């Protein structure tokens, strides 16, 4: 097929934002593809890593064949541990910053993950036609899966099922100590000890390891042989039936069976053990009759345990593409058209003022710096004023820098959306702690997306001008009322809080026009609270209700700040709704302080009481200094 035809075919994509670049970069070869839809990989190409001085030249060589295609998102699987932005490869003298590579290639999104994390992520989606089963055993549903892959090194990982999908293990299990199972393997270990004081499993169960086994067995058998590489050893065994090469291959497969059994009992991998990498699939059907499965089950008292666990060879080409594509898809999930915040900044850049464009340029060039630095440093680096940074954020539809950073962090790191998970009686303290936090964060994010900004504007205006504010709340909501009383009193607004239903109506009858009642209730149905709100309205006061949008209290209020998180307070102790109510109090407080017109009212009130005007900014921690 001509290159132009490949590009034209690759440009037809099911993704709204165009094809996605995928790569599986090992120590020896790098495999590339353009993903044009779910499980659709086109323009697959394999390059030799030795031909390149670094990862950017490698990527540019592949992309040079597709210069007419606009790429926004990419994901790379690398044969290396990945932690943070900087990657220093173990089996090559390459090192790079993920963010610098992203900028160099003009991408909006670049993920770099461990290659066996990607391979592990592909396992749940593999079909029987993608696999060759070796031996007996059947996978148990909803069980842990293990994966090993001998190639230039030995990759090891696992997949753990959860209620929300699958979690992969970022393992470096190939670096465990090699354990010989018989006298021959002990001789091989002694041979390796002559070179390395620590011999890991990867040293022997890998391509270079096969070459060590060949030399060690030749020495043990008293033979003088020329060195062969792994491919030549495999060809000598499978094609030429050379006795020494056959012994090497049998020994290699037995060692792999032992390592696989160790992984199986460590993980409790009743979902199966999968063999990937570049070596075993090339052995074809011979591997099924090799010593692998016999050694896998040779576990003494645990032989029956292991006989029930199936083992498979992954035969589909480039399986890591499926895994890395899944990880990238999860990364982009939930965005409209997979449109990142970086794209929004780029698309709107020409509509900004010249000063705001300098902030946009800084965001595009150094996103992580903008994410981590305070407003003063961002303004200094962009050579603009601090108010310009705020105007830039508001031009993009955010309330300020903090709101921009919150969404920008999610866009940049691609965190999978937090989900609600039910706490179970059997949960450990670690698990229940994580679930309580995740459930609260999930509710806050949903609450943020459903906020009625117009109602908030009205409420802020009422509170800022109020001559007096009184909080009416009972039960769990009293904590929120006390928090509000403390905050608004600091603005020098006369404030009181009542939690006794008998005092509600009495207090409401003393109110006047210009006063404000903030009524807080989960249900919004308490008769005493409703009577007090009616009395307050009759006296000329305004009422801000923090409650369910469909409640009787909401219908009686001047303004309703809706909290529609569902909690059965008759059966359960209300928790999350209290957090959301407190957030509304915080929003009102910050709104008073940042709004120019309302701030003047606060300043006038404080100046009349001998309080220095500048001290108002010390009251709200959300404000930049």
């Amino acid at each position: 097929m001509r290159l132009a035809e490949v590009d034209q075919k690759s440009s037809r994509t099911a993704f709204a934002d165009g094809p996605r670049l995928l790569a599986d970069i090992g120590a020896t070869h790098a495999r590339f593809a353009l993903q044009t839809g779910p499980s659709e990989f086109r323009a697959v190409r394999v390059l030799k890593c030795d031909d390149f001085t670094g990862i950017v030249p490698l990527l540019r060589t592949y992309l040079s064949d597709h210069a007419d295609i606009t790429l926004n998102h990419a994901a790379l699987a690398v044969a290396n541990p990945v932690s943070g932005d900087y990657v220093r490869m173990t089996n090559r003298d390459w090192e790079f910053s993920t963010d610098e590579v992203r900028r160099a290639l003009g991408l909006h999104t670049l993920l770099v993950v461990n290659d066996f994390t990607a391979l592990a992520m592909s396992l749940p989606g593999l079909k029987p036609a993608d696999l060759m089963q070796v031996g007996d055993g059947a996978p148990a549903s909803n069980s842990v899966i293990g994966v090993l892959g001998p190639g230039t090194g030995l990759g090891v990982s696992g997949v753990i099922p959860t209620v929300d999908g699958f979690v992969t293990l970022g393992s470096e299990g190939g670096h465990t100590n090699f354990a010989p199972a018989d006298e021959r393997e002990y001789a091989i270990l002694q041979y390796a000890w002559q070179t390395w004081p620590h011999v890991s499993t990867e040293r022997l169960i890998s391509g270079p390891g096969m070459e060590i086994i060949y030399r060690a067995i030749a020495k043990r058998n008293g033979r003088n042989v020329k060195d062969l590489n792994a491919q030549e050893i495999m060809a000598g065994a499978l094609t030429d039936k050379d006795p020494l090469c056959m012994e090497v291959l049998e020994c290699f497969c037995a060692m792999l069976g032992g390592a696989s059994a160790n992984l199986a009992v460590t993980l409790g991998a009743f979902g199966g053990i999968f063999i990937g990498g570049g070596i075993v699939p090339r052995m074809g059907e011979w591997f099924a009759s090799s010593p692998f499965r016999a050694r896998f089950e040779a576990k003494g008292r645990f032989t029956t345990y292991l006989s029930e666990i199936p083992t498979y060879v992954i035969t589909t080409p480039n399986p890591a593409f499926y895994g890395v594509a899944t990880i990238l898809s999860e990364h982009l999930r939930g965005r409209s058209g997979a449109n990142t915040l970086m794209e929004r900044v780029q698309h709107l850049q020409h509509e900004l003022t010249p000063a705001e464009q300098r902030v946009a340029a800084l965001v595009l060039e150094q996103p992580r710096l903008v994410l981590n630095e305070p407003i003063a440093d961002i303004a200094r680096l962009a050579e603009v004023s601090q108010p310009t940074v705020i105007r830039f954020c508001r031009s993009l539809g955010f309330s300020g820098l903090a709101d921009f950073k919150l969404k920008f962090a999610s866009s940049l790191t691609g965190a999978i959306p937090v989900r609600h998970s039910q706490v179970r009686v059997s949960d450990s303290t670690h698990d229940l702690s994580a679930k309580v936090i995740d459930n609260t964060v999930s509710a806050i994010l949903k609450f943020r997306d459903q906020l009625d900004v117009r109602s908030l504007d009205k409420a802020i205006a009422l509170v800022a001008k109020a001559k007096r504010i009184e909080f009416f709340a009972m039960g769990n909501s009293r904590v929120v009322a006390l928090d509000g009383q403390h905050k608004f009193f600091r603005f020098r607004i006369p404030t009181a809080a009542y939690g006794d239903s008998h005092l509600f109506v009495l207090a409401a009858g003393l109110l006047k026009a210009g006063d404000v009642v903030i009524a807080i209730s989960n249900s919004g149905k308490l008769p005493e609270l409703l009577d007090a709100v009616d009395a307050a309205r009759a006296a000329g006061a305004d009422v801000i209700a923090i409650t369910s949008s469909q409640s009787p209290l909401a219908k009686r209020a001047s303004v309703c700040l809706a909290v529609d998180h569902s909690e059965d307070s008759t059966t359960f102790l209300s928790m999350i709704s209290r957090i959301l109510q407190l957030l509304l109090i915080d929003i009102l407080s910050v709104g008073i302080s940042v709004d120019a017109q309302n701030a003047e009212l606060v300043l006038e009130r404080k100046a009349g009481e001998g309080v220095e005007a500048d001290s108002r900014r010390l009251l709200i921690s959300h404000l930049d200094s």
Side-chain angles (χ1 to χ4, degrees), residues 420 436 438-448 450 521-523 547-550 561-569 572-581 584:
H420 184 95
V436 168
D438 285 351
N439 293 347
T440 304
V441 171
S442 175
I444 290 173
L445 294 177
K446 183 178 179 181
F447 178 66
R448 177 195 65 189
Q450 295 175 348
S521 172
N522 284 330
S523 68
T547 187
S548 167
S549 61
Q550 302 303 315
L561 302 181
V563 177
D564 288 324
H565 181 78
S566 179
E567 283 185 305
D568 182 4
S569 57
F572 300 105
L573 179 63
S574 177
M575 291 187 175
I576 294 177
S577 57
R578 181 193 75 251
I579 300 296
L580 303 182
Q581 292 167 355
L584 285 173

Side-chain angles (χ1 to χ4, degrees), residues 67-84:
D68 295 335
I69 297 176
T70 300
L71 292 172
N72 294 312
H73 310 298
L76 315 179
V78 297
N80 207 76
V82 178
S83 177

Side-chain angles (χ1 to χ4, degrees), residues 283-343:
M283 296 182 187
E285 294 291 337
W286 179 87
F287 184 76
S289 60
S290 77
F292 168 82
R293 182 69 191 190
R295 176 66 66 82
F296 180 80
E297 295 184 10
K299 208 69 170 174
R301 293 172 295 166
F302 270 69
T303 294
T304 301
Y305 180 98
L306 285 160
S307 67
E308 298 174 358
I309 296 177
T311 50
Y312 305 94
V313 176
I314 302 170
T315 56
T316 187
N318 305 315
F321 286 164
Y322 293 88
V324 78
T326 299
I327 294 170
L328 180 58
S329 179
E330 287 289 304
H331 182 106
L332 299 172
R333 186 178 60 183
R335 302 176 188 164
S336 176
N339 184 37
T340 67
L341 187 49
M342 294 285 282
E343 288 177 299

